[in-house]
Every structure is written in C-alpha cells, then in structure tokens.
mmCIF file of all heavy atoms in Angstrom:
data_model
loop_
_atom_site.group_PDB
_atom_site.id
_atom_site.type_symbol
_atom_site.label_atom_id
_atom_site.label_comp_id
_atom_site.label_asym_id
_atom_site.label_seq_id
_atom_site.Cartn_x
_atom_site.Cartn_y
_atom_site.Cartn_z
ATOM 1 N N LEU A 3 83.826 106.057 88.811
ATOM 2 C CA LEU A 3 85.211 106.414 89.091
ATOM 3 C C LEU A 3 85.393 106.767 90.565
ATOM 4 O O LEU A 3 86.350 106.310 91.204
ATOM 5 C CB LEU A 3 85.648 107.581 88.204
ATOM 6 C CG LEU A 3 87.081 108.063 88.396
ATOM 7 C CD1 LEU A 3 88.062 106.950 88.035
ATOM 8 C CD2 LEU A 3 87.336 109.289 87.549
ATOM 9 N N ILE A 4 84.484 107.543 91.112
ATOM 10 C CA ILE A 4 84.555 107.893 92.538
ATOM 11 C C ILE A 4 84.464 106.637 93.393
ATOM 12 O O ILE A 4 85.220 106.458 94.350
ATOM 13 C CB ILE A 4 83.456 108.913 92.912
ATOM 14 C CG1 ILE A 4 83.774 110.267 92.271
ATOM 15 C CG2 ILE A 4 83.322 109.042 94.423
ATOM 16 C CD1 ILE A 4 82.663 111.284 92.399
ATOM 17 N N PHE A 5 83.562 105.737 93.044
ATOM 18 C CA PHE A 5 83.420 104.491 93.794
ATOM 19 C C PHE A 5 84.713 103.678 93.751
ATOM 20 O O PHE A 5 85.170 103.152 94.766
ATOM 21 C CB PHE A 5 82.258 103.667 93.233
ATOM 22 C CG PHE A 5 82.111 102.329 93.897
ATOM 23 C CD1 PHE A 5 81.552 102.227 95.161
ATOM 24 C CD2 PHE A 5 82.549 101.184 93.260
ATOM 25 C CE1 PHE A 5 81.437 101.000 95.773
ATOM 26 C CE2 PHE A 5 82.439 99.956 93.864
ATOM 27 C CZ PHE A 5 81.873 99.853 95.130
ATOM 28 N N LEU A 6 85.325 103.586 92.585
ATOM 29 C CA LEU A 6 86.574 102.831 92.462
ATOM 30 C C LEU A 6 87.699 103.470 93.262
ATOM 31 O O LEU A 6 88.483 102.774 93.914
ATOM 32 C CB LEU A 6 86.976 102.709 90.994
ATOM 33 C CG LEU A 6 86.155 101.742 90.151
ATOM 34 C CD1 LEU A 6 86.556 101.850 88.687
ATOM 35 C CD2 LEU A 6 86.333 100.322 90.651
ATOM 36 N N LEU A 7 87.789 104.792 93.227
ATOM 37 C CA LEU A 7 88.846 105.472 93.967
ATOM 38 C C LEU A 7 88.670 105.316 95.469
ATOM 39 O O LEU A 7 89.631 105.094 96.200
ATOM 40 C CB LEU A 7 88.899 106.950 93.587
ATOM 41 C CG LEU A 7 89.428 107.254 92.185
ATOM 42 C CD1 LEU A 7 89.318 108.743 91.893
ATOM 43 C CD2 LEU A 7 90.863 106.793 92.043
ATOM 44 N N VAL A 8 87.439 105.427 95.926
ATOM 45 C CA VAL A 8 87.180 105.300 97.359
ATOM 46 C C VAL A 8 87.432 103.872 97.831
ATOM 47 O O VAL A 8 88.004 103.640 98.889
ATOM 48 C CB VAL A 8 85.742 105.757 97.693
ATOM 49 C CG1 VAL A 8 85.356 105.384 99.107
ATOM 50 C CG2 VAL A 8 85.616 107.252 97.492
ATOM 51 N N SER A 9 87.039 102.895 97.045
ATOM 52 C CA SER A 9 87.220 101.515 97.466
ATOM 53 C C SER A 9 88.674 101.062 97.344
ATOM 54 O O SER A 9 89.078 100.096 97.982
ATOM 55 C CB SER A 9 86.323 100.577 96.654
ATOM 56 O OG SER A 9 86.709 100.587 95.298
ATOM 57 N N ALA A 10 89.496 101.758 96.564
ATOM 58 C CA ALA A 10 90.884 101.357 96.365
ATOM 59 C C ALA A 10 91.846 102.057 97.322
ATOM 60 O O ALA A 10 93.024 101.760 97.320
ATOM 61 C CB ALA A 10 91.310 101.653 94.928
ATOM 62 N N THR A 11 91.351 102.977 98.157
ATOM 63 C CA THR A 11 92.250 103.676 99.070
ATOM 64 C C THR A 11 92.668 102.740 100.196
ATOM 65 O O THR A 11 91.919 101.874 100.622
ATOM 66 C CB THR A 11 91.577 104.928 99.664
ATOM 67 O OG1 THR A 11 90.387 104.525 100.332
ATOM 68 C CG2 THR A 11 91.279 105.943 98.598
ATOM 69 N N PRO A 12 93.898 102.907 100.698
ATOM 70 C CA PRO A 12 94.363 102.045 101.778
ATOM 71 C C PRO A 12 93.587 102.298 103.069
ATOM 72 O O PRO A 12 93.029 103.368 103.271
ATOM 73 C CB PRO A 12 95.828 102.434 101.954
ATOM 74 C CG PRO A 12 96.120 103.508 100.998
ATOM 75 C CD PRO A 12 94.886 103.826 100.231
ATOM 76 N N SER A 13 93.591 101.309 103.943
ATOM 77 C CA SER A 13 92.908 101.455 105.219
ATOM 78 C C SER A 13 93.668 102.445 106.101
ATOM 79 O O SER A 13 94.800 102.822 105.811
ATOM 80 C CB SER A 13 92.808 100.104 105.917
ATOM 81 O OG SER A 13 94.096 99.686 106.324
ATOM 82 N N GLN A 14 93.040 102.839 107.194
ATOM 83 C CA GLN A 14 93.661 103.780 108.123
ATOM 84 C C GLN A 14 94.952 103.189 108.710
ATOM 85 O O GLN A 14 95.932 103.883 108.875
ATOM 86 C CB GLN A 14 92.673 104.135 109.239
ATOM 87 C CG GLN A 14 93.116 105.276 110.106
ATOM 88 C CD GLN A 14 93.110 106.604 109.382
ATOM 89 O OE1 GLN A 14 92.427 106.781 108.386
ATOM 90 N NE2 GLN A 14 93.878 107.550 109.873
ATOM 91 N N ALA A 15 94.941 101.887 108.997
ATOM 92 C CA ALA A 15 96.141 101.234 109.534
ATOM 93 C C ALA A 15 97.280 101.263 108.521
ATOM 94 O O ALA A 15 98.434 101.512 108.880
ATOM 95 C CB ALA A 15 95.826 99.802 109.929
ATOM 96 N N ASP A 16 96.950 100.998 107.253
ATOM 97 C CA ASP A 16 97.978 101.046 106.211
ATOM 98 C C ASP A 16 98.542 102.453 106.061
ATOM 99 O O ASP A 16 99.735 102.625 105.825
ATOM 100 C CB ASP A 16 97.431 100.569 104.872
ATOM 101 C CG ASP A 16 97.244 99.062 104.813
ATOM 102 O OD1 ASP A 16 97.807 98.363 105.678
ATOM 103 O OD2 ASP A 16 96.530 98.587 103.917
ATOM 104 N N MET A 17 97.689 103.464 106.207
ATOM 105 C CA MET A 17 98.157 104.845 106.096
ATOM 106 C C MET A 17 99.186 105.150 107.181
ATOM 107 O O MET A 17 100.194 105.793 106.927
ATOM 108 C CB MET A 17 96.981 105.823 106.188
ATOM 109 C CG MET A 17 96.026 105.754 105.019
ATOM 110 S SD MET A 17 96.772 106.286 103.478
ATOM 111 C CE MET A 17 96.826 108.036 103.744
ATOM 112 N N GLY A 18 98.930 104.665 108.393
ATOM 113 C CA GLY A 18 99.885 104.869 109.480
ATOM 114 C C GLY A 18 101.197 104.157 109.225
ATOM 115 O O GLY A 18 102.271 104.695 109.484
ATOM 116 N N GLN A 19 101.119 102.942 108.717
ATOM 117 C CA GLN A 19 102.335 102.184 108.419
ATOM 118 C C GLN A 19 103.100 102.815 107.261
ATOM 119 O O GLN A 19 104.333 102.832 107.267
ATOM 120 C CB GLN A 19 101.988 100.737 108.111
ATOM 121 C CG GLN A 19 101.504 99.973 109.321
ATOM 122 C CD GLN A 19 101.021 98.578 108.968
ATOM 123 O OE1 GLN A 19 100.471 98.352 107.894
ATOM 124 N NE2 GLN A 19 101.228 97.645 109.875
ATOM 125 N N MET A 20 102.365 103.334 106.278
ATOM 126 C CA MET A 20 103.019 104.011 105.152
ATOM 127 C C MET A 20 103.743 105.263 105.645
ATOM 128 O O MET A 20 104.876 105.530 105.242
ATOM 129 C CB MET A 20 101.988 104.384 104.084
ATOM 130 C CG MET A 20 101.497 103.210 103.301
ATOM 131 S SD MET A 20 100.043 103.505 102.247
ATOM 132 C CE MET A 20 100.268 105.115 101.596
ATOM 133 N N GLY A 21 103.089 106.017 106.513
ATOM 134 C CA GLY A 21 103.710 107.215 107.070
ATOM 135 C C GLY A 21 104.943 106.884 107.885
ATOM 136 O O GLY A 21 105.953 107.588 107.823
ATOM 137 N N ASN A 22 104.872 105.790 108.648
ATOM 138 C CA ASN A 22 106.018 105.362 109.442
ATOM 139 C C ASN A 22 107.181 104.961 108.539
ATOM 140 O O ASN A 22 108.337 105.269 108.820
ATOM 141 C CB ASN A 22 105.618 104.201 110.361
ATOM 142 C CG ASN A 22 106.726 103.823 111.295
ATOM 143 O OD1 ASN A 22 107.384 104.676 111.877
ATOM 144 N ND2 ASN A 22 106.944 102.527 111.439
ATOM 145 N N LYS A 23 106.868 104.276 107.441
ATOM 146 C CA LYS A 23 107.920 103.866 106.506
ATOM 147 C C LYS A 23 108.567 105.088 105.854
ATOM 148 O O LYS A 23 109.790 105.146 105.706
ATOM 149 C CB LYS A 23 107.346 102.936 105.440
ATOM 150 C CG LYS A 23 108.377 102.369 104.504
ATOM 151 C CD LYS A 23 107.778 101.366 103.547
ATOM 152 C CE LYS A 23 108.807 100.786 102.612
ATOM 153 N NZ LYS A 23 108.231 99.831 101.672
ATOM 154 N N LEU A 24 107.758 106.077 105.481
ATOM 155 C CA LEU A 24 108.302 107.301 104.891
ATOM 156 C C LEU A 24 109.169 108.047 105.905
ATOM 157 O O LEU A 24 110.279 108.479 105.586
ATOM 158 C CB LEU A 24 107.172 108.205 104.393
ATOM 159 C CG LEU A 24 107.588 109.544 103.806
ATOM 160 C CD1 LEU A 24 108.481 109.352 102.593
ATOM 161 C CD2 LEU A 24 106.358 110.365 103.447
ATOM 162 N N ARG A 25 108.691 108.173 107.146
ATOM 163 C CA ARG A 25 109.449 108.841 108.207
ATOM 164 C C ARG A 25 110.774 108.126 108.435
ATOM 165 O O ARG A 25 111.827 108.747 108.492
ATOM 166 C CB ARG A 25 108.635 108.852 109.503
ATOM 167 C CG ARG A 25 109.366 109.466 110.692
ATOM 168 C CD ARG A 25 108.707 109.126 112.019
ATOM 169 N NE ARG A 25 108.620 107.711 112.273
ATOM 170 C CZ ARG A 25 109.615 106.954 112.756
ATOM 171 N NH1 ARG A 25 110.788 107.491 113.012
ATOM 172 N NH2 ARG A 25 109.445 105.664 112.968
ATOM 173 N N ARG A 26 110.722 106.802 108.544
ATOM 174 C CA ARG A 26 111.925 106.002 108.757
ATOM 175 C C ARG A 26 112.919 106.196 107.609
ATOM 176 O O ARG A 26 114.116 106.353 107.836
ATOM 177 C CB ARG A 26 111.506 104.534 108.876
ATOM 178 C CG ARG A 26 112.622 103.573 109.076
ATOM 179 C CD ARG A 26 112.102 102.154 109.258
ATOM 180 N NE ARG A 26 111.480 101.644 108.037
ATOM 181 C CZ ARG A 26 110.299 101.033 107.992
ATOM 182 N NH1 ARG A 26 109.585 100.858 109.072
ATOM 183 N NH2 ARG A 26 109.826 100.596 106.843
ATOM 184 N N GLY A 27 112.416 106.201 106.381
ATOM 185 C CA GLY A 27 113.291 106.384 105.232
ATOM 186 C C GLY A 27 113.963 107.746 105.211
ATOM 187 O O GLY A 27 115.162 107.852 104.947
ATOM 188 N N LEU A 28 113.194 108.784 105.502
ATOM 189 C CA LEU A 28 113.766 110.132 105.523
ATOM 190 C C LEU A 28 114.818 110.274 106.619
ATOM 191 O O LEU A 28 115.867 110.894 106.400
ATOM 192 C CB LEU A 28 112.651 111.166 105.701
ATOM 193 C CG LEU A 28 111.702 111.323 104.512
ATOM 194 C CD1 LEU A 28 110.527 112.218 104.884
ATOM 195 C CD2 LEU A 28 112.433 111.851 103.291
ATOM 196 N N ILE A 29 114.543 109.701 107.782
ATOM 197 C CA ILE A 29 115.527 109.759 108.873
ATOM 198 C C ILE A 29 116.796 109.017 108.479
ATOM 199 O O ILE A 29 117.909 109.508 108.706
ATOM 200 C CB ILE A 29 114.929 109.189 110.170
ATOM 201 C CG1 ILE A 29 113.883 110.142 110.734
ATOM 202 C CG2 ILE A 29 116.019 108.924 111.211
ATOM 203 C CD1 ILE A 29 113.098 109.588 111.902
ATOM 204 N N ASN A 30 116.669 107.853 107.871
ATOM 205 C CA ASN A 30 117.847 107.078 107.493
ATOM 206 C C ASN A 30 118.659 107.761 106.393
ATOM 207 O O ASN A 30 119.888 107.699 106.404
ATOM 208 C CB ASN A 30 117.464 105.663 107.079
ATOM 209 C CG ASN A 30 117.190 104.780 108.277
ATOM 210 O OD1 ASN A 30 117.681 105.020 109.369
ATOM 211 N ND2 ASN A 30 116.386 103.764 108.074
ATOM 212 N N VAL A 31 117.980 108.411 105.476
ATOM 213 C CA VAL A 31 118.711 109.145 104.433
ATOM 214 C C VAL A 31 119.480 110.310 105.052
ATOM 215 O O VAL A 31 120.639 110.552 104.729
ATOM 216 C CB VAL A 31 117.752 109.645 103.328
ATOM 217 C CG1 VAL A 31 118.435 110.648 102.423
ATOM 218 C CG2 VAL A 31 117.219 108.475 102.514
ATOM 219 N N ALA A 32 118.829 111.010 105.967
ATOM 220 C CA ALA A 32 119.454 112.195 106.559
ATOM 221 C C ALA A 32 120.548 111.852 107.567
ATOM 222 O O ALA A 32 121.521 112.600 107.700
ATOM 223 C CB ALA A 32 118.385 113.059 107.231
#
C-alpha cells in the first residue's frame, strides 16, 4: 500500500501546476 501511494503521487511539477490552478480559481471566485 505504501509503495502504491508513493508511486501514485504527482510529480513536483504537477504539484506546482495544481497549486497555481487552485490559486487562480480562488482569485477568480473572489
């Protein structure tokens, strides 16, 4: 289970893009 969870996590680049998308969405809502 630990192996599957670790291998299924997004890459560091994806994490940055996900954070940017969340930030953009919150700004647009507000």
